[in-house]
Amino acid sequence: MTEEGRAHPNCRNASNLYHECNDYCFKVIAEAKARNDAKEQGNRATFSDQAEDLHDEIDDLEDHPNGDSDNVVEKHAEVDFSKLSGRQKKLFELRLKVNEARKANQMAMVAEKKRMEGPTESRGVSKEKWIEERKKKIGKLLDANGLDMTKAYMLDTEEMAEAKYKKWEKEPAPYGWDVFNQKTLYDAYKKRTKNVEIDIEEYNRMKEADPEFYREASSLQYGKAPKTSDDKIEKMVKELKARDEKRNSFSRRRRFRDEKDIDSINDRNEHFNKKIERAFGKYTLEIKNNLERGTALPD
């Protein structure tokens, strides 16, 4: 009732300040409320039935993601589109879009999984499987000799132990700026001069012939190089050529992946793309994924 207590708020004449509701007004209000409740209940039942049908179709797609979507689309294609109402047509289009999106997502997920997984072993046994089998074999030998895993070195022979020691003593290759430090350059010099043949007799003869063989800075002959024989020059040229051939023949074999996307036109361009990917890959990952999915392009 209003503040005056004369008109009901749901009455059609509630805006009239001088109106006072009677039995007829209350009867009209009750009938209108009954009609609205019946209409709401009918709409709610219709939407619940449509939603249930849609959920049933989605559940069928989840149970059979590979084949049932085509069957559902074919089943909907048999429906007479002209006999449907506006609401039914809208629901029919939504069902078709749900089926198409589910099928596309399923195919994209399978393709991405194949692309992200590593290649399977084409021949032989994998490294992990070989390590597991070797551990089992060593474990049986240790159990037979009454030893535990910490005493596994006692099964090694002398040759195997020497090979392990040599492998442990081997220093890793220089990396980064360590390639140009003094120690690395000196090690490279020793490696080059290791195969140089030294003639002690000729060395002693040249030393006796020249009183200033070891010259000092105050010597008048400082900086004067002794005459070098032709065979020594030939040996130096031969060593330089062998060094160049070894440098040109060096090639580290890299594993080729067939499933990897090809984004280069030649080897040089591939190497350049790898450097760009290392520098800016984390910033352009989302843009690249959107372009591959097609979501970055306008409709």
Side-chain angles (χ1 to χ4, degrees):
M1 304 293 286
T2 61
E3 295 178 358
E4 291 80 2
R6 296 181 300 177
H8 194 276
N10 293 334
C11 181
R12 67 181 72 176
N13 297 319
S15 60
N16 189 355
L17 299 177
Y18 301 99
H19 174 73
E20 184 175 355
C21 289
N22 52 21
D23 294 339
Y24 177 76
C25 293
F26 294 134
K27 182 179 178 181
V28 172
I29 292 172
E31 291 177 356
K33 185 177 180 181
R35 285 196 303 270
N36 292 334
D37 292 343
K39 187 176 180 181
E40 264 183 42
Q41 188 175 2
N43 292 337
R44 192 179 297 112
T46 303
F47 285 126
S48 62
D49 294 339
Q50 294 174 352
E52 186 177 357
D53 294 341
L54 184 59
H55 286 303
D56 291 340
E57 292 178 3
I58 293 175
D59 293 338
D60 293 339
L61 287 173
E62 291 178 352
D63 295 337
H64 306 282
N66 295 328
D68 281 356
S69 59
D70 296 336
N71 298 334
V72 173
V73 173
E74 292 176 359
K75 183 177 69 175
H76 287 316
E78 297 175 358
V79 178
D80 190 359
F81 198 75
S82 61
K83 296 181 180 180
L84 301 178
S85 62
R87 192 181 300 276
Q88 291 175 342
K89 290 179 181 179
K90 188 67 175 178
L91 181 61
F92 179 77
E93 294 175 356
L94 290 176
R95 288 172 178 173
L96 292 181
K97 289 182 179 181
V98 168
N99 296 335
E100 293 176 359
R102 182 59 60 89
K103 186 176 180 181
N105 290 340
Q106 184 72 17
M107 295 175 63
M109 183 178 65
V110 174
E112 185 175 2
K113 184 177 180 182
K114 289 182 180 179
R115 187 167 61 251
M116 296 298 292
E117 287 181 352
T120 56
E121 296 290 337
S122 58
R123 58 182 180 179
V125 296
S126 62
K127 186 176 180 180
E128 292 80 5
K129 188 175 180 180
W130 179 82
I131 292 175
E132 290 179 0
E133 293 179 354
R134 180 170 175 80
K135 285 183 178 180
K136 291 180 181 179
K137 186 177 180 181
I138 293 176
K140 291 180 181 179
L141 292 175
L142 292 173
D143 293 340
N145 294 310
L147 302 173
D148 56 356
M149 189 59 71
T150 58
K151 304 289 185 180
Y153 64 89
M154 299 182 68
L155 299 177
D156 295 340
T157 60
E158 183 180 357
E159 291 79 8
M160 294 173 62
E162 290 180 357
K164 285 184 178 180
Y165 291 149
K166 288 183 179 179
K167 187 176 181 180
W168 292 341
E169 292 174 357
K170 185 178 179 181
E171 297 180 359
Y175 178 77
W177 292 106
D178 292 337
V179 178
F180 305 103
N181 59 24
Q182 296 298 322
K183 183 178 183 304
T184 305
L185 296 176
Y186 180 65
D187 293 340
Y189 169 77
K190 289 195 300 182
K191 186 176 181 180
R192 288 185 61 188
T193 57
K194 183 172 63 175
N195 298 326
V196 175
E197 298 179 357
I198 301 175
D199 191 352
I200 302 298
E201 296 181 357
E202 184 178 1
Y203 170 75
N204 293 330
R205 186 170 58 253
M206 293 176 63
K207 185 177 179 181
E208 293 176 357
D210 190 356
E212 294 185 357
F213 188 77
Y214 297 107
R215 298 183 179 89
E216 297 179 354
S218 59
S219 176
L220 296 177
Q221 295 183 358
Y222 180 78
K224 182 179 179 181
K227 185 178 180 180
T228 307
S229 58
D230 295 338
D231 57 340
K232 297 291 189 302
I233 297 175
E234 290 294 332
K235 287 182 180 180
M236 182 188 68
V237 173
K238 185 177 179 181
E239 192 270 338
L240 293 174
K241 288 183 178 180
R243 184 185 177 191
D244 292 339
E245 291 177 359
K246 186 176 180 180
R247 184 188 296 110
N248 294 331
S249 63
F250 175 77
S251 177
R252 180 164 59 93
R253 185 176 181 181
R254 293 167 176 82
R255 193 169 187 177
F256 180 75
R257 298 183 181 273
D258 295 331
E259 72 281 357
K260 185 179 180 182
D261 296 336
I262 299 176
D263 56 354
S264 59
I265 58 176
N266 50 36
D267 294 339
R268 184 175 181 180
N269 182 243
E270 181 181 2
H271 184 64
F272 177 78
N273 291 343
K274 287 181 179 179
K275 294 194 294 184
I276 294 296
E277 180 69 21
R278 286 196 299 267
F280 305 103
K282 59 183 179 180
Y283 305 109
T284 60
L285 179 61
E286 184 177 357
I287 299 175
K288 184 182 293 184
N289 293 337
N290 292 337
L291 290 174
E292 290 179 355
R293 291 193 297 263
T295 56
L297 302 177
D299 296 335

